Amino acid sequence: MGTLAVAPRSNVTHQLNYFRASVAYNTPEIATAGKVPLGTLPAGAIITGMLVKVSEVFNAATTNVLTVGTAADDDAVIGGTDVDELLVDTTVTFAGYGYQVTADTTLYIKYAQTGTAATTGAATVVVFFVPDNDR
């Protein structure tokens, strides 16, 4: 019997897949694009939804921007205006709905701030996707 090859984080049946990661204002390297991985989408995957649960407000003095994207495009999935980092709440965003990758692609979380540095801020990011498992 042969071995069934499965792409990164992909169920072998038709199920919704997801990545979930919690970050904070002081997560190591969170300010640098391509450094805090969320997960790797398998080739052909399509994003079906995203949500961000801010559990503690990000309090940098001027701007607070939480994004999700690739190493090449740090806001490809969740952009700079898609989440209110100043409100403890859950944001459901459709910004990256339908985003599809042609090759295995790692998604990263980034937090950018300006003004007096943040001393608080925490969020959980969830990205839902379906793999290309048409059979």
Side-chain angles (χ1 to χ4, degrees):
M1 179 182 257
T3 302
L4 178 61
V6 179
R9 192 72 178 262
S10 176
N11 292 309
V12 295
T13 59
H14 291 273
Q15 298 180 41
L16 186 64
N17 292 255
Y18 68 92
F19 299 128
R20 175 184 167 154
S22 294
V23 294
Y25 73 98
N26 60 353
T27 297
E29 300 190 280
I30 192 77
T32 305
K35 294 292 184 179
V36 179
L38 174 60
T40 301
L41 292 169
I46 300 171
I47 291 179
T48 59
M50 293 113 336
L51 66 86
V52 178
K53 171 69 176 167
V54 175
S55 55
E56 182 177 31
V57 298
F58 291 82
N59 70 346
T62 308
T63 61
N64 297 275
V65 181
L66 189 68
T67 59
V68 175
T70 65
D73 184 359
D74 65 359
D75 64 352
V77 176
I78 297 177
T81 59
D82 295 332
V83 176
D84 186 350
E85 297 85 354
L86 302 176
L87 182 62
V88 173
D89 198 6
T90 300
T91 300
V92 176
T93 176
F94 293 96
Y97 184 82
Y99 182 84
Q100 185 172 19
V101 297
T102 57
D104 291 356
T105 303
T106 302
L107 298 180
Y108 297 94
I109 303 169
K110 180 183 174 188
Y111 168 62
Q113 57 179 306
T114 60
T116 304
T119 57
T120 67
T124 300
V125 177
V126 182
V127 173
F128 302 94
F129 67 94
V130 291
D132 183 10
N133 62 357
D134 295 335
R135 294 186 191 7

